[in-house]
Amino acid sequence: MASKQKVVAVIGLVTAAMVWGLIWYPYRVLDAAGVSGMAATVITYTFALSLGVLLSGSVWREWRVAGWIGILLPLTAGWSNLGYVLGMLDGEVMRVLLLFYLAPLWTVGLSRLLLNEQLNRYGYAVAALSLAGAIVMLWEPHLGWPWPQNQAEWFGLSAGLSFALANVLVRRADHLSVNYKSSSIWLGTALITMLAMLVMGRTHELLSISPDYFWLLGLLGVVLCAASFIVQFGLTHLPANQSIVLFLSELVFAAIAAYFLAGESMGVREIIGAVLIVSASLMSGKMQSGDS
């Protein structure tokens, strides 16, 4: 039974990676039609939350045993989702996504701190390769330090850090159901986005959405709901450091979609950086000290 669950988890994570590799495009379509990324995020995740709670039943009873993870998981996963959407809307798809996929670098320390996963030499190699990939990709001699060069890239980087933390928290919270984890992520994303809109004075954007686009927003909500259930099942039944490897297929789906749908292609530096970052992610599955 355990082996069957792992097979289902692997298939599920690859399927979810395909969804996340393509989902930026409908958000761009909505943004071009006047539905901002924040407004679309609030509505789609509210749809996902409503459908998910309807399917999950009395999932909120678990709040009493959720502890500090019940607060931190929605916050980290919420920013991961919002930062991802905002970064993909305004930045180059693959550059933002590669910065997001520095997640194994952050997972090195987080898994040690929160999961007590003892690291071997692979852990140090993962950190070195990830940093090298980022430096190669971001290095512009005339701009100084190899930092993200615009707001979209900072969104991608910070969303990847939040994703790594959420990934580790999901693995640690084995006392919580998949339904509860998924619901808390939808709620966190909707609340954080709504709070950001309130602070920025942009709540009026929710009232100006044409009814013609609610079918697409609703469809995205259904897809997000299904993908979240799949992801939480996969993360619950696979080690945190191995789960990130399966998510790498998102890069393939996104690269193909970016080329055909957005006319974007990677330069030599981006390709070299991608190879280093992907190598780090592939190596991250061997970071536990029990591996040779």
Side-chain angles (χ1 to χ4, degrees):
M1 180 62 68
S3 60
K4 290 183 179 179
Q5 287 181 332
K6 287 188 176 182
V7 170
V8 173
V10 168
I11 295 174
L13 289 182
V14 173
T15 301
M18 179 181 68
V19 170
W20 282 105
L22 301 175
I23 205 166
W24 58 270
Y25 184 70
Y27 277 108
R28 281 195 177 185
V29 170
L30 288 166
D31 187 59
V35 183
S36 71
M38 284 190 172
T41 299
V42 168
I43 294 175
T44 53
Y45 277 90
T46 299
F47 270 124
L49 176 64
S50 302
L51 178 59
V53 170
L54 181 64
L55 296 174
S56 301
S58 55
V59 65
W60 297 110
R61 292 180 181 176
E62 295 182 55
W63 173 259
R64 293 171 295 181
V65 298
W68 60 272
I69 292 180
I71 298 175
L72 192 55
L73 178 58
L75 294 177
T76 56
W79 174 249
S80 177
N81 291 327
L82 176 58
Y84 177 91
V85 170
L86 296 179
M88 292 296 238
L89 281 179
D90 299 323
E92 293 183 26
V93 171
M94 289 308 297
R95 283 179 65 88
V96 172
L97 196 56
L98 286 170
L99 286 169
F100 182 89
Y101 267 97
L102 287 176
L105 173 62
W106 319 127
T107 305
V108 168
L110 292 171
S111 61
R112 176 69 179 89
L113 179 65
L114 298 177
L115 298 179
N116 198 31
E117 291 184 352
Q118 302 297 321
L119 301 180
N120 57 18
R121 63 184 183 277
Y122 290 104
Y124 299 103
V126 165
L129 285 172
S130 296
L131 284 173
I135 291 172
V136 169
M137 183 176 63
L138 298 173
W139 183 258
E140 296 283 356
H142 63 285
L143 295 177
W145 289 94
W147 303 114
Q149 300 302 323
N150 52 56
Q151 181 175 263
E153 292 183 3
W154 279 111
F155 282 147
L157 182 67
S158 61
L161 174 57
S162 292
F163 174 74
L165 180 53
N167 184 355
V168 172
L169 289 174
V170 165
R171 179 65 178 170
R172 171 161 178 157
D174 54 3
H175 62 294
L176 300 175
S177 69
V178 170
N179 291 354
Y180 181 88
K181 295 171 186 176
S182 298
S183 298
S184 65
I185 290 171
W186 301 320
L187 177 62
T189 304
L191 287 179
I192 286 178
T193 308
M194 191 66 191
L195 178 61
M197 295 185 75
L198 284 169
V199 172
M200 300 171 66
R202 295 176 56 177
T203 53
H204 63 278
E205 296 174 1
L206 293 169
L207 303 176
S208 60
I209 298 176
S210 170
D212 295 338
Y213 298 108
F214 272 92
W215 70 269
L216 180 54
L217 292 166
L219 178 60
L220 284 174
V222 173
V223 171
L224 288 169
C225 179
S228 293
F229 276 126
I230 293 171
V231 167
Q232 299 319 310
F233 180 86
L235 293 179
T236 299
H237 291 88
L238 292 173
N241 290 320
Q242 294 178 3
S243 299
I244 192 67
V245 176
L246 296 173
F247 277 113
L248 283 175
S249 55
E250 178 182 346
L251 293 172
V252 178
F253 296 121
I256 295 173
Y259 181 80
F260 286 104
L261 299 178
E264 297 180 7
S265 58
M266 296 191 296
V268 175
R269 285 190 297 106
E270 284 80 6
I271 293 174
I272 295 174
V275 170
L276 292 170
I277 292 171
V278 168
S279 298
S281 295
L282 291 173
M283 194 175 292
S284 68
K286 298 184 177 181
M287 287 198 308
Q288 285 124 322
S289 60
D291 294 323
S292 58

